[in-house]
C-alpha cells in the first residue's frame, strides 16, 4: 500500500502544472488534496465577496478534477496550524506538501504548521515555489541585494531560463470509504457556498472560475490579442488584456504554462510588432513577480510607504471625498466610470486603476492605504503584492524612482477613451452627453443637476499645485505632470 501524502492547496487551485503536487505524486501514488478555509483570512474586513465567490467556484472545479482522476479534495475550516496536522494525524499521512507563498501572513502561518507537523513525525516539502517563475532568492543584484528598481530586475529575470510546466497529476489513489469517514471525524466538511460563509455577491462573475476556464482564456488571448497587446492594452473600452489576473491570483493556471504559451506564440510569429507586444505582456508577468519578490524581501511594504518622504506624508483624508471616490461620484467622469466598473463587476482595467489611484492620492490627498484597502474589498483578483505595488507606484511612495507622476483625468480620458465609450458604459446618466463633454468634464452645473451627476468635488489644477507644494515641503524634490 502506498504512503498517503496530503497536498495542501492555497493559491494553486489546479492539478496541472503544479510543482508541489507533481513532487507529491513522484513520492507516492496516494495523493489527496486539502484546502483549509482559514478564519484569519476570511474574517478580515478586507475580503471581497466576489473574490470568495470566484475562489469557491475554483474549489468546486478542483473537487471535480480530483474525482475524475480517482482522488479527493478535502475541505477543512479552522486554524490551519490545528486543522492540517489533526487531519494528517487522523489519516496517518506520511507527509503534507504545499507550495510556498511570499505573503507575510503565510510565512508565519506556514512555520507554525511545519512545527506542529514535525512534532508529529510528519514530513513536509520546504521552500517549494510554484506561483512564480523564479524564487525570490534567485534574482539578486550584483551586490547580492534584492532589486528595488524594475528595469534591472527585468533584465536579470528575463535572461534566466524558465522551467517547463510540471506534470499534471494523474494515476492517483484516493482515500477509501473508511478513510473518508475518518477524515470527516477529523474535520473534513462539504464545500460551503460563498453565501454559507457570509459573503453575498449577486452580480455574477465576469471571469469564469476554474482550471479549464483559465486555460481556455489563455489560449484565446494567445491566439489573437497578445499580438496586439502593446497597442490595445491601454484602452479600457477594448478587450485588449488577458483578464487572467484572478486565475493567476488563485493559481487556476500555472505560471510555467502561461510562460510557455507566450514562448510558443513568439516562435510562431515573424512580425516585429507582434513580438514587441508579446514581450510587453511577458513584462507584465515580470511586474507581477517583481512585486511578489518585493513583498517577500520587504514585508513592511504591507504596512505602507517604501520611500522615506512618504512615510509621514500629511494626507488630508477628507471623509466626504473618500466616500465620493468609493461611490464613483467625484464629478470626474473617467474616475467615476472606473470606480463603478469595479463596484459592479469586481474588476477594473489597469489604466483605470492607475487613474483612480493617482486621483485619490494626488488630487484628493488621501492616504493610499485607504484606497488599497477599498480595492482589496472589491477586486476579484485582489492580491496583496500586486495591489500594494500598484498603489505605491501610483502614490509615488514605492520603489520606483522619480519622476513623481500626476495624472490629469481629462488628458487621460482624451488619450485612452477617445470616443467616450468606456465612460458611457459605466456612467449611464451621462450617456447622451457629447464626447467632448465626457472627456474634458466640462459639463455645466445645470446639465449635471438635470441627470443627478455631481459637480467636481475638487479642482484638479488647485489640487495638483497643493500636492506639489506639500511634496516639496516634505523633501524639496521636483515634480513632473
Ligand atoms: C492601483 C493598482 C492596484 C492593482 N491591484 C491589483 C491586484 O490586486 N491584483 C492584481 O492581480 N493586479 C493588480 N494590479 C495590476 C493590474 O492592474 C492587473 O493585474 C491587471 O489589470 C489585470 O488585468 P489582466 O489580467 O487583463 O492583465 P494583463 O494586462 O493581461 O496582464 C497579465 C498579467 O500580468 C499581471 N500584471 C499585469 N500588470 C501588472 C502590474 N502592474 N502589477 C502586477 N501584476 C501585473 C497580472 O497577473 C495580469 O493578469 C493593480 C494595479 C494598480 C495600478
Amino acid at each position: 500500500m502506498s504512503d498517503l501524502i496530503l497536498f495542501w492547496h492555497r493559491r494553486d487551485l489546479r492539478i496541472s502544472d503544479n510543482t508541489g503536487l507533481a513532487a507529491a505524486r513522484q513520492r507516492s501514488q496516494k495523493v489527496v488534496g486539502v484546502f483549509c478555509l482559514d478564519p484569519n483570512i476570511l474574517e478580515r474586513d478586507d475580503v471581497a465577496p466576489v473574490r470568495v465567490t470566484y475562489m469557491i467556484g475554483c474549489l468546486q472545479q478542483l473537487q471535480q478534477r480530483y474525482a475524475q482522476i480517482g482522488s479527493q479534495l478535502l475541505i477543512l475550516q479552522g486554524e490551519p496550524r490545528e486543522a492540517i496536522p489533526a487531519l494528517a494525524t487522523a489519516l496517518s499521512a506520511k507527509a503534507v506538501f504545499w507550495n510556498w507563498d511570499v505573503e507575510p501572513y503565510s510565512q508565519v502561518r506556514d512555520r507554525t504548521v511545519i512545527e506542529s507537523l514535525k512534532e508529529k513525525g510528519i514530513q513536509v516539502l520546504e521552500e517549494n515555489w510554484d506561483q512564480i517563475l523564479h524564487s525570490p532568492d534567485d534574482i539578486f543584484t550584483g551586490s547580492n541585494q534584492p532589486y528595488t528598481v524594475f528595469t534591472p530586475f527585468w533584465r536579470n529575470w528575463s535572461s534566466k531560463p524558465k522551467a517547463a510546466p510540471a506534470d499534471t497529476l494523474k494515476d492517483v489513489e484516493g482515500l477509501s470509504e473508511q478513510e473518508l469517514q475518518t477524515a470527516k471525524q477529523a474535520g473534513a466538511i462539504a464545500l460551503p457556498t460563498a453565501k454559507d460563509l457570509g459573503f453575498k455577491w449577486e452580480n455574477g462573475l465576469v471571469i469564469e472560475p476554474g482550471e479549464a476556464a483559465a486555460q481556455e482564456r489563455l489560449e484565446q488571448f494567445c491566439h489573437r490579442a497578445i499580438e496586439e497587446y502593446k497597442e490595445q492594452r491601454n484602452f479600457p473600452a477594448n478587450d485588449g488584456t488577458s483578464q487572467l489576473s484572478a486565475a493567476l491570483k488563485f493559481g487556476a493556471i500555472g505560471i510555467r504554462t502561461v510562460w510557455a504559451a507566450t514562448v510558443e506564440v513568439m516562435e510562431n510569429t515573424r512580425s516585429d510588432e507582434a513580438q514587441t507586444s508579446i514581450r510587453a505582456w511577458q513584462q507584465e508577468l515580470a511586474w507581477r513577480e517583481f512585486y511578489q519578490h518585493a513583498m517577500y524581501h520587504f514585508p513592511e511594504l504591507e504596512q505602507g510607504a517604501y520611500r522615506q518622504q512618504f512615510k509621514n506624508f500629511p494626507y488630508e483624508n477628507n471623509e466626504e471625498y473618500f466616500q465620493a471616490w468609493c461611490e464613483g461620484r467625484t464629478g470626474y467622469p473617467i474616475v467615476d466610470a472606473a470606480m463603478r466598473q469595479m463596484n459592479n463587476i469586481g474588476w477594473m482595467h489597469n489604466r483605470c486603476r492607475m487613474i483612480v489611484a493617482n486621483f485619490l492620492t494626488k488630487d484628493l490627498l488621501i492616504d493610499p492605504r485607504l484606497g488599497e484597502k477599498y480595492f482589496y474589498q472589491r477586486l476579484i483578483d485582489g492580491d496583496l503584492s500586486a495591489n500594494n505595488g500598484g498603489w505605491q507606484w501610483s502614490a509615488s511612495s514605492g520603489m520606483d524612482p522619480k519622476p513623481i507622476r500626476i495624472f490629469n483625468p481629462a488628458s487621460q480620458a482624451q488619450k485612452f477613451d477617445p470616443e467616450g465609450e468606456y465612460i458611457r458604459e459605466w456612467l449611464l446618466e451621462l450617456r447622451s452627453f457629447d464626447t467632448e463633454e465626457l472627456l474634458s468634464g466640462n459639463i455645466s452645473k445645470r446639465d449635471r443637476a438635470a441627470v443627478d451627476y455631481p459637480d467636481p468635488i475638487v479642482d484638479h489644477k488647485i489640487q495638483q499645485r497643493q500636492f506639489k507644494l506639500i511634496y516639496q515641503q516634505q523633501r524639496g524634490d521636483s515634480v513632473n505632470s
Side-chain angles (χ1 to χ4, degrees), residues 112-131:
T112 64
V113 177
I114 291 173
E115 230 170 79
S116 173
L117 287 169
K118 284 189 172 167
E119 265 170 26
K120 295 175 166 54
I122 300 167
Q123 296 169 15
V124 296
L125 176 70
E126 292 196 49
E127 300 273 337
N128 185 74
W129 292 100
D130 171 77
Q131 80 209 18

Side-chain angles (χ1 to χ4, degrees), residues 11 44 102-105 249 295 301-302 372 376 381-389:
R11 43 181 308 172
R44 287 174 56 129
V102 295
E103 296 188 7
Y105 166 67
K249 146 84 190 186
M295 189 55 72
L301 283 171
E302 192 184 10
E372 183 183 343
Y376 211 69
D381 60 17
D383 172 82
L384 175 64
S385 312
N387 196 33
N388 182 272

Side-chain angles (χ1 to χ4, degrees), residues 238-442:
N238 299 359
D239 205 6
T241 68
S242 68
Q243 292 205 337
L244 274 168
S245 48
L248 283 165
K249 146 84 190 186
F250 285 105
I253 193 143
I255 191 65
R256 290 151 301 279
T257 301
V258 174
W259 186 263
T262 67
V263 172
E264 196 185 324
V265 257
M266 186 74 100
E267 282 168 1
N268 289 332
T269 181
R270 281 201 200 92
S271 139
D272 286 348
E273 227 166 81
Q275 287 187 353
T276 310
S277 268
I278 298 163
R279 205 66 181 151
W281 198 66
Q282 288 180 329
Q283 204 167 64
E284 293 309 316
L285 301 178
W287 270 107
R288 173 179 171 274
E289 279 199 33
F290 176 67
Y291 288 141
Q292 292 207 28
H293 286 205
M295 189 55 72
Y296 178 82
H297 292 297
F298 307 99
E300 63 273 19
L301 283 171
E302 192 184 10
Q303 310 309 325
Y306 175 79
R307 295 177 72 193
Q308 192 54 39
Q309 60 268 51
F310 280 92
K311 287 201 195 288
N312 294 307
F313 198 83
Y315 288 108
E316 292 173 358
N317 295 335
N318 179 311
E319 276 178 32
E320 272 175 38
Y321 291 174
F322 182 60
Q323 205 48 38
W325 178 85
C326 292
E327 289 171 14
R329 287 188 63 80
T330 66
Y332 281 82
I334 188 72
V335 172
D336 295 340
M339 294 305 289
R340 295 202 207 167
Q341 177 182 34
M342 180 171 69
N343 290 339
N344 273 289
I345 65 170
W347 188 83
M348 190 197 290
H349 190 278
N350 181 59
R351 170 57 48 185
C352 300
R353 294 188 203 206
M354 295 195 289
I355 296 172
V356 303
N358 205 283
F359 187 79
L360 185 81
T361 53
K362 313 273 172 68
D363 282 68
L364 301 183
L365 295 163
I366 289 178
D367 192 324
R369 284 173 294 184
L370 294 176
E372 183 183 343
K373 182 169 177 182
Y374 188 75
F375 263 37
Y376 211 69
Q377 288 169 327
R378 291 290 182 290
L379 284 173
I380 189 168
D381 60 17
D383 172 82
L384 175 64
S385 312
N387 196 33
N388 182 272
W391 273 95
Q392 297 234 17
W393 186 92
S394 304
S396 307
S397 62
M399 294 183 160
D400 60 302
K402 290 182 278 180
I404 297 287
R405 300 170 194 86
I406 300 181
F407 286 4
N408 177 333
S411 328
Q412 291 288 315
Q414 279 148 1
K415 209 160 162 192
F416 300 116
D417 189 27
E419 305 301 324
E421 284 170 86
Y422 178 76
I423 294 177
R424 283 198 184 83
E425 183 178 354
W426 295 105
L427 294 188
L428 296 183
E429 67 269 44
L430 298 188
R431 269 203 159 169
S432 56
F433 283 71
D434 288 345
T435 301
E436 207 288 310
E437 291 175 307
L438 295 183
L439 304 182
S440 65
N442 291 334

Side-chain angles (χ1 to χ4, degrees), residues 59 84 86 99 103 107 144 205 231 283 294 324 370 440 451 469:
L59 288 167
I84 298 278
N99 293 314
E103 296 188 7
Q107 304 265 329
N144 225 21
L205 291 178
E231 183 90 336
Q283 204 167 64
L370 294 176
S440 65
V451 293
L469 194 70

